[in-house]
Short mmCIF file of all heavy atoms in Angstrom, two decimals:
data_model
loop_
_atom_site.label_atom_id
_atom_site.label_comp_id
_atom_site.label_asym_id
_atom_site.label_seq_id
_atom_site.Cartn_x
_atom_site.Cartn_y
_atom_site.Cartn_z
N ASN V 1 6.46 -5.46 21.84
CA ASN V 1 5.96 -5.83 20.47
C ASN V 1 7.12 -6.27 19.64
O ASN V 1 8.14 -5.62 19.59
CB ASN V 1 5.34 -4.61 19.83
CG ASN V 1 3.87 -4.36 20.31
OD1 ASN V 1 3.21 -5.34 20.75
ND2 ASN V 1 3.43 -3.09 20.18
N LEU V 2 6.94 -7.33 18.88
CA LEU V 2 7.88 -7.75 18.04
C LEU V 2 8.00 -6.99 16.74
O LEU V 2 6.91 -6.55 16.22
CB LEU V 2 7.64 -9.23 17.65
CG LEU V 2 7.72 -10.24 18.77
CD1 LEU V 2 7.29 -11.60 18.38
CD2 LEU V 2 9.14 -10.31 19.40
N THR V 3 9.10 -6.85 16.17
CA THR V 3 9.27 -6.04 14.89
C THR V 3 8.79 -6.94 13.77
O THR V 3 9.27 -8.06 13.52
CB THR V 3 10.72 -5.63 14.76
OG1 THR V 3 11.14 -4.80 15.83
CG2 THR V 3 10.92 -4.90 13.40
N ALA V 4 7.99 -6.33 12.96
CA ALA V 4 7.48 -7.06 11.74
C ALA V 4 8.34 -6.64 10.57
O ALA V 4 8.62 -7.45 9.70
CB ALA V 4 6.01 -6.63 11.50
N ILE V 5 8.68 -5.37 10.52
CA ILE V 5 9.41 -4.77 9.33
C ILE V 5 10.48 -3.85 9.79
O ILE V 5 10.27 -3.05 10.76
CB ILE V 5 8.42 -3.97 8.42
CG1 ILE V 5 7.19 -4.73 8.08
CG2 ILE V 5 9.16 -3.45 7.21
CD1 ILE V 5 6.14 -3.91 7.44
N GLU V 6 11.64 -3.92 9.21
CA GLU V 6 12.64 -2.95 9.39
C GLU V 6 13.09 -2.55 8.03
O GLU V 6 13.53 -3.32 7.09
CB GLU V 6 13.89 -3.61 10.17
CG GLU V 6 14.99 -2.67 10.46
CD GLU V 6 16.08 -3.30 11.38
OE1 GLU V 6 15.87 -4.30 11.84
OE2 GLU V 6 17.15 -2.66 11.28
N PHE V 7 13.17 -1.21 7.79
CA PHE V 7 13.43 -0.66 6.47
C PHE V 7 14.09 0.70 6.71
O PHE V 7 13.53 1.55 7.28
CB PHE V 7 12.18 -0.53 5.66
CG PHE V 7 12.45 0.09 4.29
CD1 PHE V 7 12.97 -0.68 3.33
CD2 PHE V 7 12.13 1.36 4.06
CE1 PHE V 7 13.26 -0.09 2.01
CE2 PHE V 7 12.37 1.92 2.79
CZ PHE V 7 12.95 1.15 1.69
N ASP V 8 15.28 0.82 6.18
CA ASP V 8 15.99 2.12 6.14
C ASP V 8 16.01 2.79 7.51
O ASP V 8 15.84 3.85 7.69
CB ASP V 8 15.26 3.09 5.15
CG ASP V 8 16.17 4.18 4.73
OD1 ASP V 8 17.42 4.05 4.76
OD2 ASP V 8 15.64 5.27 4.19
N GLY V 9 16.30 1.86 8.53
CA GLY V 9 16.53 2.36 9.90
C GLY V 9 15.25 2.54 10.72
O GLY V 9 15.27 2.83 11.90
N ALA V 10 14.03 2.32 10.00
CA ALA V 10 12.74 2.48 10.70
C ALA V 10 12.23 1.07 10.99
O ALA V 10 12.54 0.10 10.19
CB ALA V 10 11.78 3.22 9.96
N THR V 11 11.47 0.89 12.11
CA THR V 11 10.82 -0.38 12.41
C THR V 11 9.38 -0.22 12.64
O THR V 11 8.96 0.86 13.01
CB THR V 11 11.54 -0.99 13.66
OG1 THR V 11 11.35 -0.17 14.75
CG2 THR V 11 12.95 -1.31 13.45
N VAL V 12 8.61 -1.25 12.41
CA VAL V 12 7.22 -1.26 12.62
C VAL V 12 6.86 -2.60 13.31
O VAL V 12 7.25 -3.65 12.84
CB VAL V 12 6.37 -1.11 11.30
CG1 VAL V 12 4.95 -1.23 11.56
CG2 VAL V 12 6.71 0.17 10.57
N SER V 13 6.11 -2.44 14.34
CA SER V 13 5.75 -3.71 15.04
C SER V 13 4.61 -4.40 14.35
O SER V 13 3.98 -3.89 13.53
CB SER V 13 5.19 -3.39 16.57
OG SER V 13 3.98 -2.81 16.53
N TRP V 14 4.40 -5.67 14.72
CA TRP V 14 3.27 -6.47 14.06
C TRP V 14 1.93 -5.72 14.47
O TRP V 14 1.11 -5.63 13.59
CB TRP V 14 3.24 -7.94 14.67
CG TRP V 14 4.31 -8.74 13.94
CD1 TRP V 14 5.43 -9.10 14.51
CD2 TRP V 14 4.29 -9.25 12.59
NE1 TRP V 14 6.22 -9.89 13.65
CE2 TRP V 14 5.53 -9.96 12.47
CE3 TRP V 14 3.44 -9.23 11.59
CZ2 TRP V 14 5.90 -10.63 11.29
CZ3 TRP V 14 3.71 -9.76 10.36
CH2 TRP V 14 4.96 -10.58 10.27
N ALA V 15 1.79 -5.22 15.67
CA ALA V 15 0.58 -4.57 15.99
C ALA V 15 0.33 -3.27 15.18
O ALA V 15 -0.81 -3.02 14.71
CB ALA V 15 0.52 -4.22 17.50
N GLU V 16 1.42 -2.45 15.05
CA GLU V 16 1.26 -1.21 14.25
C GLU V 16 0.94 -1.56 12.82
O GLU V 16 0.08 -0.91 12.12
CB GLU V 16 2.61 -0.46 14.30
CG GLU V 16 2.87 0.13 15.69
CD GLU V 16 4.26 0.71 15.69
OE1 GLU V 16 5.21 0.06 15.20
OE2 GLU V 16 4.48 1.86 16.20
N TRP V 17 1.59 -2.57 12.23
CA TRP V 17 1.41 -2.89 10.93
C TRP V 17 -0.02 -3.45 10.55
O TRP V 17 -0.59 -3.08 9.66
CB TRP V 17 2.47 -3.96 10.49
CG TRP V 17 2.57 -4.07 9.00
CD1 TRP V 17 2.47 -3.12 8.03
CD2 TRP V 17 2.94 -5.30 8.29
NE1 TRP V 17 2.70 -3.64 6.84
CE2 TRP V 17 3.01 -4.90 6.91
CE3 TRP V 17 3.21 -6.51 8.63
CZ2 TRP V 17 3.29 -5.86 5.91
CZ3 TRP V 17 3.53 -7.42 7.67
CH2 TRP V 17 3.54 -7.15 6.33
N GLY V 18 -0.49 -4.26 11.59
CA GLY V 18 -1.89 -4.72 11.50
C GLY V 18 -2.86 -3.65 11.53
O GLY V 18 -3.87 -3.61 10.77
N ARG V 19 -2.65 -2.64 12.45
CA ARG V 19 -3.60 -1.55 12.45
C ARG V 19 -3.55 -0.70 11.20
O ARG V 19 -4.63 -0.28 10.66
CB ARG V 19 -3.23 -0.66 13.67
CG ARG V 19 -3.67 -1.15 14.94
CD ARG V 19 -3.57 -0.13 16.11
NE ARG V 19 -2.18 0.28 16.36
CZ ARG V 19 -1.28 -0.31 17.16
NH1 ARG V 19 -1.69 -1.40 17.80
NH2 ARG V 19 -0.15 0.17 17.33
N ALA V 20 -2.40 -0.49 10.59
CA ALA V 20 -2.29 0.26 9.31
C ALA V 20 -2.99 -0.49 8.20
O ALA V 20 -3.72 0.05 7.44
CB ALA V 20 -0.81 0.47 9.03
N ILE V 21 -2.80 -1.74 8.16
CA ILE V 21 -3.47 -2.62 7.11
C ILE V 21 -4.98 -2.59 7.28
O ILE V 21 -5.77 -2.37 6.30
CB ILE V 21 -2.94 -3.99 7.10
CG1 ILE V 21 -1.42 -4.07 6.63
CG2 ILE V 21 -3.79 -4.94 6.29
CD1 ILE V 21 -0.74 -5.41 6.89
N SER V 22 -5.50 -2.71 8.43
CA SER V 22 -6.88 -2.63 8.76
C SER V 22 -7.51 -1.26 8.47
O SER V 22 -8.54 -1.25 7.83
CB SER V 22 -7.15 -3.00 10.23
OG SER V 22 -6.85 -4.37 10.47
N ALA V 23 -6.76 -0.23 8.84
CA ALA V 23 -7.31 1.13 8.54
C ALA V 23 -7.44 1.38 7.00
O ALA V 23 -8.43 1.97 6.61
CB ALA V 23 -6.39 2.15 9.20
N LEU V 24 -6.39 1.01 6.25
CA LEU V 24 -6.49 1.19 4.83
C LEU V 24 -7.58 0.34 4.20
O LEU V 24 -8.47 0.79 3.40
CB LEU V 24 -5.21 0.82 4.10
CG LEU V 24 -5.21 1.04 2.59
CD1 LEU V 24 -5.57 2.40 2.19
CD2 LEU V 24 -3.88 0.66 2.07
N GLY V 25 -7.87 -0.85 4.65
CA GLY V 25 -8.87 -1.75 4.22
C GLY V 25 -10.23 -1.21 4.56
O GLY V 25 -11.14 -1.17 3.77
N ASP V 26 -10.42 -0.56 5.77
CA ASP V 26 -11.61 0.09 6.14
C ASP V 26 -11.92 1.21 5.11
O ASP V 26 -13.00 1.50 4.79
CB ASP V 26 -11.56 0.59 7.59
CG ASP V 26 -11.57 -0.62 8.60
OD1 ASP V 26 -11.92 -1.75 8.18
OD2 ASP V 26 -11.22 -0.27 9.71
N LEU V 27 -10.89 2.07 4.85
CA LEU V 27 -11.13 3.24 4.02
C LEU V 27 -11.52 2.78 2.60
O LEU V 27 -12.48 3.38 2.04
CB LEU V 27 -9.80 4.07 3.82
CG LEU V 27 -9.45 4.88 5.05
CD1 LEU V 27 -8.05 5.45 4.93
CD2 LEU V 27 -10.43 5.99 5.29
N LEU V 28 -10.91 1.70 2.07
CA LEU V 28 -11.27 1.23 0.80
C LEU V 28 -12.70 0.61 0.78
O LEU V 28 -13.49 0.77 -0.10
CB LEU V 28 -10.22 0.20 0.24
CG LEU V 28 -8.87 0.86 -0.01
CD1 LEU V 28 -7.89 -0.31 -0.30
CD2 LEU V 28 -8.94 1.84 -1.12
N ASP V 29 -13.06 -0.05 1.80
CA ASP V 29 -14.48 -0.60 2.02
C ASP V 29 -15.40 0.57 2.05
O ASP V 29 -16.47 0.44 1.39
CB ASP V 29 -14.51 -1.39 3.30
CG ASP V 29 -14.06 -2.81 3.18
OD1 ASP V 29 -13.99 -3.39 2.09
OD2 ASP V 29 -13.70 -3.34 4.23
N ALA V 30 -15.13 1.60 2.75
CA ALA V 30 -15.93 2.75 2.90
C ALA V 30 -16.19 3.46 1.58
O ALA V 30 -17.21 4.14 1.35
CB ALA V 30 -15.50 3.74 3.92
N ALA V 31 -15.23 3.33 0.67
CA ALA V 31 -15.34 3.94 -0.63
C ALA V 31 -16.26 3.21 -1.52
O ALA V 31 -16.61 3.65 -2.64
CB ALA V 31 -13.94 4.08 -1.26
N GLY V 32 -16.76 2.04 -1.10
CA GLY V 32 -17.74 1.29 -1.85
C GLY V 32 -17.16 0.40 -2.91
O GLY V 32 -17.86 0.00 -3.84
N LEU V 33 -15.88 0.02 -2.77
CA LEU V 33 -15.30 -0.82 -3.74
C LEU V 33 -15.98 -2.26 -3.70
O LEU V 33 -16.09 -2.82 -2.63
CB LEU V 33 -13.79 -0.95 -3.61
CG LEU V 33 -13.00 0.30 -3.70
CD1 LEU V 33 -11.54 0.02 -3.46
CD2 LEU V 33 -13.23 1.07 -4.94
N ASN V 34 -16.18 -2.81 -4.90
CA ASN V 34 -16.72 -4.17 -4.89
C ASN V 34 -15.48 -5.15 -5.15
O ASN V 34 -14.44 -4.70 -5.29
CB ASN V 34 -17.78 -4.36 -5.87
CG ASN V 34 -17.34 -4.19 -7.28
OD1 ASN V 34 -16.17 -4.42 -7.57
ND2 ASN V 34 -18.15 -3.63 -8.16
N GLU V 35 -15.81 -6.40 -5.09
CA GLU V 35 -14.72 -7.42 -5.17
C GLU V 35 -13.98 -7.40 -6.48
O GLU V 35 -12.98 -8.01 -6.63
CB GLU V 35 -15.25 -8.77 -4.80
CG GLU V 35 -16.32 -9.31 -5.80
CD GLU V 35 -17.70 -8.91 -5.50
OE1 GLU V 35 -18.00 -8.22 -4.47
OE2 GLU V 35 -18.59 -9.13 -6.28
N THR V 36 -14.54 -6.77 -7.54
CA THR V 36 -13.83 -6.66 -8.86
C THR V 36 -13.04 -5.44 -9.02
O THR V 36 -12.52 -5.22 -10.06
CB THR V 36 -14.79 -6.93 -9.97
OG1 THR V 36 -15.79 -5.82 -9.97
CG2 THR V 36 -15.54 -8.21 -9.82
N ALA V 37 -13.02 -4.57 -7.99
CA ALA V 37 -12.32 -3.27 -8.11
C ALA V 37 -10.82 -3.53 -8.33
O ALA V 37 -10.25 -4.39 -7.78
CB ALA V 37 -12.59 -2.42 -6.91
N LEU V 38 -10.24 -2.59 -9.03
CA LEU V 38 -8.84 -2.45 -9.22
C LEU V 38 -8.28 -1.30 -8.41
O LEU V 38 -8.77 -0.20 -8.64
CB LEU V 38 -8.49 -2.27 -10.60
CG LEU V 38 -6.95 -2.46 -11.10
CD1 LEU V 38 -6.40 -3.82 -10.67
CD2 LEU V 38 -6.89 -2.31 -12.52
N VAL V 39 -7.38 -1.49 -7.50
CA VAL V 39 -6.83 -0.43 -6.72
C VAL V 39 -5.38 -0.03 -7.14
O VAL V 39 -4.58 -0.96 -7.38
CB VAL V 39 -6.79 -0.88 -5.19
CG1 VAL V 39 -6.13 0.28 -4.36
CG2 VAL V 39 -8.13 -1.16 -4.70
N GLY V 40 -5.14 1.20 -7.47
CA GLY V 40 -3.88 1.63 -7.87
C GLY V 40 -3.06 1.97 -6.75
O GLY V 40 -3.48 2.59 -5.73
N LEU V 41 -1.79 1.57 -6.75
CA LEU V 41 -0.84 1.91 -5.70
C LEU V 41 0.42 2.52 -6.33
O LEU V 41 1.08 1.92 -7.20
CB LEU V 41 -0.46 0.61 -4.90
CG LEU V 41 0.53 0.83 -3.71
CD1 LEU V 41 -0.17 1.68 -2.65
CD2 LEU V 41 0.89 -0.52 -3.14
N LEU V 42 0.64 3.79 -5.97
CA LEU V 42 1.89 4.41 -6.49
C LEU V 42 3.07 3.94 -5.83
O LEU V 42 3.25 4.03 -4.56
CB LEU V 42 1.72 5.97 -6.26
CG LEU V 42 2.73 6.87 -6.83
CD1 LEU V 42 2.78 6.84 -8.39
CD2 LEU V 42 2.54 8.30 -6.44
N GLY V 43 3.96 3.18 -6.61
CA GLY V 43 5.15 2.61 -5.99
C GLY V 43 6.25 3.53 -5.54
O GLY V 43 6.68 4.40 -6.43
N ARG V 44 6.60 3.45 -4.36
CA ARG V 44 7.67 4.28 -3.75
C ARG V 44 8.50 3.38 -2.90
O ARG V 44 7.88 2.46 -2.28
CB ARG V 44 7.22 5.55 -3.02
CG ARG V 44 6.41 6.47 -3.87
CD ARG V 44 6.84 7.85 -3.85
NE ARG V 44 5.90 8.79 -4.42
CZ ARG V 44 6.25 9.43 -5.52
NH1 ARG V 44 7.46 9.32 -6.06
NH2 ARG V 44 5.45 10.23 -5.98
N ASN V 45 9.68 3.60 -2.59
CA ASN V 45 10.49 2.88 -1.69
C ASN V 45 10.33 3.39 -0.30
O ASN V 45 11.22 4.02 0.28
CB ASN V 45 11.99 2.89 -2.05
CG ASN V 45 12.18 2.01 -3.33
OD1 ASN V 45 11.44 1.16 -3.59
ND2 ASN V 45 13.26 2.29 -3.99
N ARG V 46 9.13 3.22 0.28
CA ARG V 46 8.72 3.76 1.51
C ARG V 46 8.12 2.62 2.37
O ARG V 46 7.40 1.84 1.84
CB ARG V 46 7.94 4.90 1.57
CG ARG V 46 8.52 6.10 0.82
CD ARG V 46 7.65 7.28 0.91
NE ARG V 46 8.30 8.46 0.20
CZ ARG V 46 7.59 9.38 -0.45
NH1 ARG V 46 6.31 9.32 -0.55
NH2 ARG V 46 8.25 10.32 -1.05
N LEU V 47 8.38 2.64 3.71
CA LEU V 47 7.80 1.65 4.54
C LEU V 47 6.29 1.58 4.45
O LEU V 47 5.68 0.57 4.46
CB LEU V 47 8.30 1.94 5.93
CG LEU V 47 7.99 0.90 7.05
CD1 LEU V 47 8.53 -0.43 6.67
CD2 LEU V 47 8.56 1.39 8.37
N GLU V 48 5.61 2.76 4.35
CA GLU V 48 4.23 2.84 4.31
C GLU V 48 3.64 2.17 3.18
O GLU V 48 2.54 1.65 3.26
CB GLU V 48 3.78 4.28 4.36
CG GLU V 48 4.15 5.08 5.48
CD GLU V 48 5.58 5.73 5.38
OE1 GLU V 48 6.27 5.52 4.35
OE2 GLU V 48 6.02 6.36 6.36
N GLN V 49 4.33 2.13 2.10
CA GLN V 49 3.89 1.48 0.84
C GLN V 49 3.58 -0.04 1.03
O GLN V 49 2.69 -0.68 0.51
CB GLN V 49 4.78 1.61 -0.30
CG GLN V 49 4.95 3.11 -0.69
CD GLN V 49 3.67 3.71 -1.24
OE1 GLN V 49 3.12 4.51 -0.53
NE2 GLN V 49 3.18 3.24 -2.37
N LEU V 50 4.42 -0.66 1.84
CA LEU V 50 4.22 -2.03 2.10
C LEU V 50 2.87 -2.43 2.75
O LEU V 50 2.26 -3.35 2.39
CB LEU V 50 5.41 -2.58 2.96
CG LEU V 50 5.50 -4.17 3.24
CD1 LEU V 50 5.56 -4.88 1.84
CD2 LEU V 50 6.70 -4.49 4.03
N SER V 51 2.52 -1.55 3.66
CA SER V 51 1.17 -1.85 4.30
C SER V 51 0.13 -1.68 3.31
O SER V 51 -0.84 -2.55 3.26
CB SER V 51 0.96 -0.77 5.40
OG SER V 51 1.94 -0.94 6.49
N GLY V 52 0.12 -0.78 2.37
CA GLY V 52 -0.84 -0.56 1.35
C GLY V 52 -0.83 -1.79 0.48
O GLY V 52 -1.92 -2.30 0.07
N PHE V 53 0.40 -2.22 0.02
CA PHE V 53 0.44 -3.37 -0.85
C PHE V 53 -0.25 -4.63 -0.18
O PHE V 53 -1.07 -5.22 -0.82
CB PHE V 53 1.91 -3.63 -1.09
CG PHE V 53 2.26 -4.75 -2.09
CD1 PHE V 53 2.11 -4.57 -3.42
CD2 PHE V 53 2.73 -5.99 -1.59
CE1 PHE V 53 2.41 -5.62 -4.32
CE2 PHE V 53 2.93 -7.05 -2.48
CZ PHE V 53 2.83 -6.90 -3.81
N VAL V 54 0.13 -4.86 1.06
CA VAL V 54 -0.48 -6.13 1.73
C VAL V 54 -1.89 -5.90 1.99
O VAL V 54 -2.71 -6.92 1.76
CB VAL V 54 0.29 -6.28 3.09
CG1 VAL V 54 -0.29 -7.30 3.86
CG2 VAL V 54 1.79 -6.67 2.78
N ALA V 55 -2.45 -4.67 2.38
CA ALA V 55 -3.80 -4.46 2.60
C ALA V 55 -4.67 -4.79 1.36
O ALA V 55 -5.63 -5.39 1.30
CB ALA V 55 -4.11 -3.01 2.99
N VAL V 56 -4.14 -4.29 0.23
CA VAL V 56 -4.87 -4.51 -1.06
C VAL V 56 -4.89 -6.00 -1.46
O VAL V 56 -5.86 -6.54 -1.77
CB VAL V 56 -4.38 -3.61 -2.26
CG1 VAL V 56 -4.97 -3.95 -3.48
CG2 VAL V 56 -4.61 -2.15 -1.85
N LEU V 57 -3.73 -6.53 -1.37
CA LEU V 57 -3.64 -7.98 -1.72
C LEU V 57 -4.48 -8.85 -0.76
O LEU V 57 -5.16 -9.76 -1.23
CB LEU V 57 -2.19 -8.53 -1.68
CG LEU V 57 -1.24 -8.04 -2.85
CD1 LEU V 57 0.19 -8.52 -2.68
CD2 LEU V 57 -1.78 -8.43 -4.24
N GLY V 58 -4.45 -8.55 0.38
CA GLY V 58 -5.18 -9.27 1.35
C GLY V 58 -6.74 -9.12 1.30
O GLY V 58 -7.57 -9.98 1.77
N SER V 59 -7.20 -8.04 0.69
CA SER V 59 -8.54 -7.70 0.59
C SER V 59 -9.23 -8.57 -0.52
O SER V 59 -10.47 -8.62 -0.57
CB SER V 59 -8.66 -6.15 0.27
OG SER V 59 -8.24 -5.95 -1.04
N GLY V 60 -8.52 -8.95 -1.47
CA GLY V 60 -9.07 -9.56 -2.60
C GLY V 60 -9.29 -8.63 -3.81
O GLY V 60 -9.54 -9.13 -4.91
N TRP V 61 -9.03 -7.36 -3.72
CA TRP V 61 -9.15 -6.46 -4.79
C TRP V 61 -7.94 -6.66 -5.72
O TRP V 61 -6.88 -7.13 -5.25
CB TRP V 61 -9.19 -5.00 -4.32
CG TRP V 61 -10.45 -4.64 -3.58
CD1 TRP V 61 -11.68 -4.77 -3.95
CD2 TRP V 61 -10.46 -3.99 -2.25
NE1 TRP V 61 -12.53 -4.29 -2.96
CE2 TRP V 61 -11.76 -3.88 -1.91
CE3 TRP V 61 -9.47 -3.72 -1.30
CZ2 TRP V 61 -12.27 -3.29 -0.73
CZ3 TRP V 61 -9.90 -3.14 -0.17
CH2 TRP V 61 -11.25 -2.97 0.19
N GLY V 62 -8.05 -6.26 -6.99
CA GLY V 62 -6.95 -6.26 -7.86
C GLY V 62 -6.04 -5.17 -7.59
O GLY V 62 -6.50 -4.12 -7.01
N LEU V 63 -4.75 -5.33 -7.84
CA LEU V 63 -3.74 -4.37 -7.56
C LEU V 63 -3.06 -3.93 -8.85
O LEU V 63 -2.66 -4.75 -9.66
CB LEU V 63 -2.72 -4.89 -6.61
CG LEU V 63 -1.52 -4.00 -6.26
CD1 LEU V 63 -2.00 -2.84 -5.48
CD2 LEU V 63 -0.45 -4.80 -5.41
N ALA V 64 -2.98 -2.62 -9.06
CA ALA V 64 -2.29 -2.01 -10.20
C ALA V 64 -1.23 -1.16 -9.67
O ALA V 64 -1.39 -0.08 -9.07
CB ALA V 64 -3.30 -1.19 -11.03
N LEU V 65 0.09 -1.64 -9.88
CA LEU V 65 1.20 -0.83 -9.36
C LEU V 65 1.52 0.22 -10.41
O LEU V 65 1.61 -0.10 -11.60
CB LEU V 65 2.47 -1.71 -9.28
CG LEU V 65 2.32 -2.74 -8.01
CD1 LEU V 65 3.47 -3.66 -8.03
CD2 LEU V 65 2.19 -1.97 -6.74
N VAL V 66 1.68 1.46 -9.90
CA VAL V 66 1.96 2.57 -10.81
C VAL V 66 3.39 2.96 -10.54
O VAL V 66 3.76 3.29 -9.42
CB VAL V 66 0.93 3.69 -10.59
CG1 VAL V 66 1.32 4.94 -11.46
CG2 VAL V 66 -0.53 3.34 -10.72
N ASN V 67 4.21 3.08 -11.65
CA ASN V 67 5.53 3.48 -11.51
C ASN V 67 5.66 4.93 -11.14
O ASN V 67 5.20 5.79 -11.79
CB ASN V 67 6.22 3.21 -12.84
CG ASN V 67 7.72 3.44 -12.81
OD1 ASN V 67 8.33 3.98 -11.86
ND2 ASN V 67 8.41 3.05 -13.88
N ALA V 68 6.31 5.17 -9.97
CA ALA V 68 6.42 6.53 -9.49
C ALA V 68 7.66 7.31 -9.95
O ALA V 68 7.79 8.56 -9.60
CB ALA V 68 6.44 6.46 -7.98
N VAL V 69 8.42 6.71 -10.83
CA VAL V 69 9.70 7.37 -11.26
C VAL V 69 9.47 8.44 -12.34
O VAL V 69 10.08 9.58 -12.31
CB VAL V 69 10.76 6.36 -11.69
CG1 VAL V 69 11.98 6.97 -12.29
CG2 VAL V 69 11.03 5.42 -10.52
N PRO V 70 8.63 8.18 -13.33
CA PRO V 70 8.47 9.20 -14.42
C PRO V 70 7.82 10.45 -13.93
O PRO V 70 7.26 10.56 -12.84
CB PRO V 70 7.46 8.51 -15.37
CG PRO V 70 7.45 7.12 -14.97
CD PRO V 70 7.77 7.00 -13.53
N PRO V 71 7.94 11.55 -14.76
CA PRO V 71 7.25 12.86 -14.38
C PRO V 71 5.76 12.62 -14.22
O PRO V 71 5.18 11.72 -14.80
CB PRO V 71 7.49 13.73 -15.56
CG PRO V 71 8.70 13.05 -16.20
CD PRO V 71 8.66 11.61 -15.93
N GLU V 72 5.14 13.53 -13.51
CA GLU V 72 3.63 13.41 -13.11
C GLU V 72 2.84 13.26 -14.44
O GLU V 72 1.84 12.49 -14.41
CB GLU V 72 3.21 14.58 -12.31
CG GLU V 72 3.73 14.60 -11.00
CD GLU V 72 3.30 15.82 -10.17
OE1 GLU V 72 2.44 16.67 -10.66
OE2 GLU V 72 3.67 16.00 -9.04
N GLY V 73 3.11 13.94 -15.51
CA GLY V 73 2.41 13.84 -16.78
C GLY V 73 2.32 12.43 -17.26
O GLY V 73 1.32 11.95 -17.74
N LEU V 74 3.55 11.73 -17.20
CA LEU V 74 3.52 10.42 -17.70
C LEU V 74 2.79 9.44 -16.80
O LEU V 74 2.21 8.42 -17.24
CB LEU V 74 5.01 9.93 -17.92
CG LEU V 74 5.72 10.68 -19.09
CD1 LEU V 74 7.15 10.17 -19.06
CD2 LEU V 74 5.13 10.41 -20.43
N ILE V 75 2.82 9.68 -15.49
CA ILE V 75 2.14 8.85 -14.55
C ILE V 75 0.63 8.98 -14.82
O ILE V 75 -0.10 7.99 -14.88
CB ILE V 75 2.44 9.26 -13.12
CG1 ILE V 75 3.86 8.91 -12.77
CG2 ILE V 75 1.46 8.50 -12.06
CD1 ILE V 75 4.42 9.37 -11.36
N ALA V 76 0.09 10.22 -15.08
CA ALA V 76 -1.28 10.43 -15.35
C ALA V 76 -1.62 9.72 -16.64
O ALA V 76 -2.75 9.09 -16.67
CB ALA V 76 -1.55 11.91 -15.50
N GLU V 77 -0.85 9.71 -17.56
CA GLU V 77 -1.14 8.89 -18.89
C GLU V 77 -1.19 7.45 -18.58
O GLU V 77 -2.10 6.77 -19.10
CB GLU V 77 -0.07 9.14 -19.95
CG GLU V 77 -0.15 10.55 -20.53
CD GLU V 77 0.98 10.74 -21.61
OE1 GLU V 77 1.36 9.76 -22.18
OE2 GLU V 77 1.35 11.88 -21.81
N GLU V 78 -0.35 6.90 -17.76
CA GLU V 78 -0.30 5.47 -17.37
C GLU V 78 -1.66 5.11 -16.69
O GLU V 78 -2.08 4.03 -16.95
CB GLU V 78 0.81 5.12 -16.53
CG GLU V 78 1.07 3.64 -16.19
CD GLU V 78 2.29 3.38 -15.37
OE1 GLU V 78 3.19 4.22 -15.32
OE2 GLU V 78 2.22 2.40 -14.66
N ILE V 79 -2.10 5.97 -15.86
CA ILE V 79 -3.37 5.70 -15.16
C ILE V 79 -4.51 5.64 -16.11
O ILE V 79 -5.32 4.82 -16.13
CB ILE V 79 -3.58 6.56 -13.98
CG1 ILE V 79 -2.48 6.36 -12.86
CG2 ILE V 79 -4.93 6.47 -13.37
CD1 ILE V 79 -2.40 7.52 -11.89
#
């Protein structure tokens, strides 16, 4: 398998990345989101976050990035 992503010493193949994107899309579909739904993504510098970002963008749903740096109380206010 060819490497799709390399980040902080970890690698993910194209096949693994595709499965992760599909799995997240399936979960969001199962939640009953319609095409006008806005999906929040808590931003962190992690490899897994990239799959979530691509899955949401590729789905056609709106994406709301939530800053993960502030304390939890401020994050809750932002949401």
